[in-house]
């Protein structure tokens, strides 16, 4: 709740006005039955048409005022709820984009997605409802009891006897509801994750005829969600019929007791009529409180989930106390070991140096730790052991905004957005049109872009699905090249290029003077064979380190890969790379 109060703070003046208007409307609602009883018992017997019309007119005035003020207050409440949620969602999104990769792994992406959508929506609902009913329901409850006490103290006892039961039901059910909603929300996370996996892997699923299997898997998760939803709703829904039961029993008792009292001459019919209306108003107010508790339960569960993200500590702090070295190496990994979330070691004892202007090639099977090395270099994660330096400076001491401007990078399966090619290359950076064109040219993308009618203004579909694999890679490479970053990283990003284009691209990279280090991660020997240093990875370890010629001599695995890919001969190898 602290979180919600924090976000509501700027709207306190606006809310106060809204709540005051609501207060007036509610008082009007409470006045109407009282005026009615007075009209029936006191004015009608006087048989004065003028007075009857006057009191009737006052009742109409009260109704219209109540109606108008309620509309106005509800509109104001909606606006506050909308604005608060907008700020909350904005802050949450911002925080999510600053989470470290480790934290994203911990929360999981689907869970973050539902926190940004369903959970913020629940809070929106809660804030709206609290304002609409938060003032109205208590005033109707307390004010109603107060008016009935002045009208008919004896009958009020019936009301007071019923209320603890009704209140008890509301309290008990909302106590049960909160944990159930939290569990339901976790099931939603699983559901979102499955849908996400299915949507992104739809082609593989179809290609491998896994549709039935996936459907079954989805069904199970869907069923689990329905089970939890049903449990939460059934528990909460029990309150309404119970409250109606109390209402009807109470009304019956009032009618019986009232009839006796009118008959005995101690009460009047108008009072009994008003009393019945108040009784209904009061128990309806209790029902509203119950509804409020329901949304409150959901809102609190959601607020907790949002707070977890907002209060996630700064994971990758800037360390100023680390040792700096003066060295002529541009880039170095010093005995780096790392495991994701404390699991199996993903890379261990990685140790190498790269001089300014050199190219590093990394080769190895899938899962050998190639991408992990890149992620460590970009400080998506901190290694458990060892350190990484750029120009002798430990990367843990470089502020992340500065660190990230050092890299131009293309990852495996990188994303293109549904925007023009130019905007995808620009990627929100302040780049001139000429730079974009030059980058496209260097990335060997100009040819296909020029063949498009709109050229750089060609609009891509979501994830660039209206381009071929090779074309997508070229646009991504152009994005990485566009800012002339000092460190250029291409992570398995030329795999969809034909050999000729791949070779031309490498030629351009070699001539590029702005890059102070180039890192090529590849499955193909031909893509990295000209690198100044090549690392051969296997199971997270370096099993070969050196130039192509050295590795061909000393590293059996490298030799095998080369032999497999190029028929073994140096000449084949040379040919393939041209
Ligand atoms: P490569 O790029 O060589 O294919 P990776 O560096 O992606 O390999 O992966 C190395 C190892 O780390 C693999 O065993 C993989 O399962 C594991 N791994 C990669 N990413 C994660 C992650 N986010 N969480 C847990 N384990 C991961």
């Amino acid at each position: 709740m602290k979180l919600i109060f924090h976000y509501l703070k700027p709207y306190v003046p606006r809310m106060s006005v809204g709540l005051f208007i609501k207060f007036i409307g509610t008082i009007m609602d409470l006045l109407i039955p009282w005026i009615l009883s007075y009209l029936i018992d006191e004015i009608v017997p006087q048989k004065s048409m003028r007075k009857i019309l006057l009191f009737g007119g006052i009742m109409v005035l009260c109704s219209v005022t109540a109606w108008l003020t309620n509309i106005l207050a509800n509109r104001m409440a909606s606006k506050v709820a909308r604005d608060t949620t907008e700020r909350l969602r904005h802050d949450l999104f911002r925080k999510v984009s600053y989470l470290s990769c480790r934290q994203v792994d911990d929360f999981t992406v689907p869970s973050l997605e539902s926190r940004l959508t369903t959970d913020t929506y629940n809070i929106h609902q809660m804030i709206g409802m609290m304002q609409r009913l938060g003032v109205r329901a208590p005033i109707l409850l307390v004010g109603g009891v107060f008016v009935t006490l002045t009208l008919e103290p004896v009958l009020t006892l019936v009301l007071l006897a019923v209320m603890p039961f009704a209140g008890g039901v509301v309290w008990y059910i909302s106590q049960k509801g909160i944990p159930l909603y939290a569990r339901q929300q976790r099931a939603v996370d699983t559901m979102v994750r499955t849908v996400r996996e299915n949507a992104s892997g739809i082609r593989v699923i179809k290609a491998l005829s896994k549709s039935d299997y996936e459907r079954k898997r989805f069904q199970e998760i869907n069923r689990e969600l329905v089970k939890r939803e049903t449990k939460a709703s059934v528990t909460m829904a029990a309150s309404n019929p119970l409250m109606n039961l109390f209402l009807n029993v109470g009304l019956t008792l009032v009618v019986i007791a009232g009839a006796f009292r009118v008959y005995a001459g101690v009460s009047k019919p108008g009072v009994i009529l008003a009393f019945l209306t108040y009784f209904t108003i009061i128990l309806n107010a209790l029902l509203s409180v119950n509804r409020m508790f329901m949304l409150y339960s959901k809102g609190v569960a959601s607020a907790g989930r949002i707070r977890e993200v907002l209060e996630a500590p700064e994971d990758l702090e800037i360390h100023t106390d680390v040792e700096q070295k003066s060295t002529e190496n541009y880039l170095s990994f010093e005995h780096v070991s790392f495991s994701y979330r404390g699991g199996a070691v993903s890379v261990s004892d990685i140790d190498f140096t790269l001089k300014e202007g050199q190219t590093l090639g990394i080769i190895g099977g899938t899962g050998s730790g190639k991408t992990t090395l890149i992620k460590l270099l970009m400080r998506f994660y901190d290694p458990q052991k060892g350190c990484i330096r750029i120009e002798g400076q430990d990367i843990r001491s470089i502020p992340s905004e500065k660190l990230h401007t050092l890299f131009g990078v293309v990852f495996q399966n990188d994303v293109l957005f549904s925007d023009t090619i130019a905007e995808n290359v620009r990627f929100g950076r302040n780049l001139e049109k000429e730079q974009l064109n030059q980058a496209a040219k260097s990335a060997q993308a100009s040819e296909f872009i020029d063949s498009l009618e709109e050229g750089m203004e060609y609009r891509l579909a979501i994830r660039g699905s209206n381009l071929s694999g090779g074309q997508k890679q070229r646009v991504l490479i152009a994005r990485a090249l566009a800012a002339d970053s000092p460190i250029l990283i291409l992570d398995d990003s030329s795999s969809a290029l034909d050999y000729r284009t791949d070779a031309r691209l490498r030629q351009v990279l070699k001539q590029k003077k702005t890059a102070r280090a180039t890192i090529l991660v590849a499955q193909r020997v031909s893509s990295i064979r000209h690198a100044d240093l090549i690392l051969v990875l296997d199971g997270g370890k370096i099993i070969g380190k050196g130039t192509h010629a050295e590795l061909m001599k000393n590293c059996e695995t490298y030799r095998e890969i080369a032999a497999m890919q190029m028929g073994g001969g140096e000449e084949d190898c040379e040919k393939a790379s041209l």
Side-chain angles (χ1 to χ4, degrees):
M1 273 319 267
K2 225 168 81 190
L3 173 89
I4 293 167
F5 283 135
H6 170 77
Y7 276 89
L8 280 177
K9 228 176 183 175
Y11 305 106
V12 168
R14 219 196 300 167
M15 267 169 66
S16 311
V17 175
L19 295 181
F20 179 69
I21 295 174
K22 192 98 203 174
F23 175 79
I24 295 175
T26 313
I27 296 291
M28 293 297 145
D29 275 331
L30 268 182
L31 271 179
I32 295 169
W34 186 83
I35 301 172
L36 180 69
S37 82
Y38 188 75
L39 184 72
I40 293 174
D41 293 338
E42 308 296 332
I43 306 296
V44 173
Q46 291 178 25
K47 298 200 166 75
S48 156
M49 202 53 181
R50 206 174 56 81
K51 279 192 175 173
I52 292 175
L53 283 178
L54 175 71
F55 273 82
I58 294 175
M59 278 177 73
V60 170
L61 194 69
C62 284
S63 311
V64 172
T65 315
W67 176 63
L68 286 178
T69 47
N70 264 323
I71 289 181
L72 187 63
N74 286 354
R75 287 180 72 143
M76 289 178 80
S78 301
K79 190 160 164 35
V80 169
R82 218 174 45 220
D83 292 353
T84 316
T85 326
E86 189 189 351
R87 274 183 52 233
L88 180 67
R89 206 179 287 131
H90 172 268
D91 287 358
L92 186 60
F93 185 78
R94 201 181 130 85
K95 178 77 188 194
V96 166
S97 52
Y98 280 114
L99 287 180
S100 74
C101 291
R102 191 187 58 79
Q103 287 168 320
V104 173
D105 290 346
D106 284 348
F107 282 117
T108 75
V109 174
S111 174
L112 289 173
E113 279 174 357
S114 49
R115 284 170 215 234
L116 267 163
T117 49
T118 329
D119 287 314
T120 46
Y121 177 71
N122 286 346
I123 290 195
H124 177 259
Q125 293 270 83
M126 177 174 85
I127 296 176
M129 181 65 116
M130 288 305 223
Q131 291 176 85
R132 283 198 296 275
L133 293 176
V135 164
R136 187 175 166 80
I139 295 179
L140 288 179
L141 265 178
V142 178
V145 173
F146 179 74
V147 181
T148 48
L149 267 176
T150 57
L151 277 178
E152 249 293 2
V154 179
L155 286 185
T156 308
L157 290 179
V158 178
L159 182 69
L160 292 179
V162 173
M163 272 192 34
F165 290 104
V169 168
V170 170
W171 181 82
Y172 177 74
I173 286 177
S174 55
Q175 281 297 307
K176 291 218 117 188
I178 295 178
L180 288 179
Y181 279 122
R183 286 181 55 197
Q184 179 191 322
Q185 214 44 44
R186 282 199 290 276
V188 173
D189 284 355
T190 317
M191 173 98 154
V192 174
R193 194 182 67 225
T194 316
V195 171
R196 206 165 176 270
E197 278 170 4
N198 260 306
S200 52
I202 194 90
R203 263 182 291 182
V204 182
I205 292 167
K206 277 192 188 305
L208 299 179
S209 305
K210 287 277 184 206
S211 301
D212 276 344
Y213 168 76
E214 285 299 325
R215 204 174 302 135
K216 248 188 236 139
R217 199 160 76 101
F218 181 77
Q219 242 171 21
E220 270 166 36
I221 295 159
N222 199 5
R223 231 176 261 142
E224 178 64 26
L225 175 61
V226 169
K227 214 168 79 190
R228 291 194 189 180
E229 245 168 10
T230 315
K231 192 157 181 207
S233 329
V234 165
T235 310
M236 295 311 268
S239 55
N240 267 17
L242 270 174
M243 296 289 274
N244 275 327
L245 178 73
F246 292 136
L247 175 67
N248 289 326
V249 170
L251 283 179
T252 315
L253 289 177
V254 169
V255 171
I256 295 171
F260 275 112
R261 286 178 65 77
V262 172
Y263 191 66
V266 284
S267 194
K268 292 180 179 169
V271 170
I272 303 296
L273 196 65
F275 198 92
L276 287 176
T277 314
Y278 279 121
F279 202 97
T280 316
I281 288 181
I282 290 168
L283 284 191
N284 270 332
L286 255 183
L287 268 178
S288 302
V289 171
N290 180 41
R291 241 194 0 260
M292 246 162 53
F293 267 112
M294 203 156 92
L295 286 176
Y296 174 82
S297 313
K298 269 192 182 179
V300 167
S302 290
R305 284 161 53 85
I306 290 175
R307 212 184 54 224
E308 275 174 13
V309 180
L310 287 178
E311 290 180 356
E314 186 69 44
D315 194 29
L316 300 170
E317 283 173 28
I318 301 302
H319 300 261
T320 45
D321 53 345
V322 286
E323 180 204 2
Q324 312 291 358
K325 273 188 187 165
S326 68
T327 160
E328 56 184 45
N329 293 322
Y330 183 68
L331 185 76
S332 60
F333 271 58
E334 296 174 4
H335 304 286
V336 170
S337 295
F338 170 74
S339 74
Y340 288 96
R341 297 211 264 169
V345 176
S346 292
V347 291
S348 80
D349 202 24
I350 303 294
D351 195 77
F352 68 89
T353 56
L354 203 66
K355 296 215 165 33
E356 177 149 0
Q358 285 193 322
T359 298
L360 172 73
I362 307 177
I363 194 162
T366 37
S368 58
K370 303 182 296 292
T371 306
T372 306
L373 278 196
I374 306 298
K375 287 184 190 161
L376 290 173
L377 173 62
M378 296 185 74
R379 207 180 174 215
F380 289 172
Y381 301 88
D382 271 342
Q384 278 91 8
K385 273 197 215 138
C387 95
I388 302 166
R389 295 179 191 280
I390 295 173
E391 292 187 300
Q393 202 178 354
D394 190 323
I395 57 167
R396 284 172 297 184
S397 65
I398 306 175
S400 59
E401 314 81 58
K402 185 171 166 219
L403 184 69
H404 289 150
T405 56
L406 296 178
F407 302 102
V409 61
V410 188
F411 279 113
Q412 278 165 311
N413 311 320
D414 232 339
V415 204
L416 287 170
F417 299 97
S418 63
D419 206 332
T420 58
I421 294 184
E423 285 313 313
N424 267 288
V425 175
R426 179 176 284 123
F427 206 46
R429 295 167 296 187
N430 194 10
L431 299 175
E432 297 294 325
K433 212 166 170 191
E434 190 40 46
Q435 282 173 290
L436 305 183
N437 289 335
Q438 190 53 45
K441 201 167 156 214
S442 303
Q444 310 300 312
S446 311
E447 209 173 296
F448 95 83
I449 293 175
D450 290 344
S451 71
L452 299 169
E453 206 177 302
E454 301 97 322
M456 289 290 267
E457 296 310 310
Y458 180 69
R459 251 198 118 70
L460 303 187
I462 295 173
R463 291 179 174 269
S465 57
N466 52 350
L467 292 184
S468 76
Q471 291 170 337
K472 264 190 272 190
Q473 281 197 335
R474 283 177 235 200
V475 176
L476 287 167
I477 295 169
R479 177 195 287 171
L481 295 177
D484 285 329
S485 315
I487 304 176
L488 191 61
I489 303 174
L490 304 185
D491 182 357
D492 214 1
S493 41
S494 55
S495 54
L497 302 184
D498 55 81
Y499 278 104
R500 187 174 290 279
T501 315
D502 190 16
R504 264 192 269 155
L505 172 68
R506 269 177 290 116
Q507 203 70 34
V508 172
L509 294 184
K510 217 154 123 200
Q511 288 159 2
K512 224 171 159 45
K513 292 281 174 283
T514 44
R516 300 172 71 188
T518 307
I519 302 178
L520 304 174
V521 177
Q523 306 265 359
R524 290 203 297 236
V525 170
S526 63
S527 305
I528 50 142
R529 68 185 299 273
H530 293 291
D532 302 290
L533 177 71
I534 299 171
L535 303 179
V536 186
L537 291 189
D538 187 27
K541 289 198 179 70
I542 297 182
I543 54 162
K545 185 159 81 170
T547 61
H548 173 74
E550 285 164 0
L551 288 169
M552 284 303 272
K553 226 187 279 162
N554 309 329
C555 180
E556 174 142 16
T557 315
Y558 187 79
R559 236 185 350 254
E560 275 170 16
I561 302 173
M564 239 166 3
Q565 291 179 354
M566 302 163 187
E570 259 307 281
E571 289 133 49
D572 288 344
C573 191
E574 197 61 54
K575 240 186 275 160
S577 69
L578 286 174

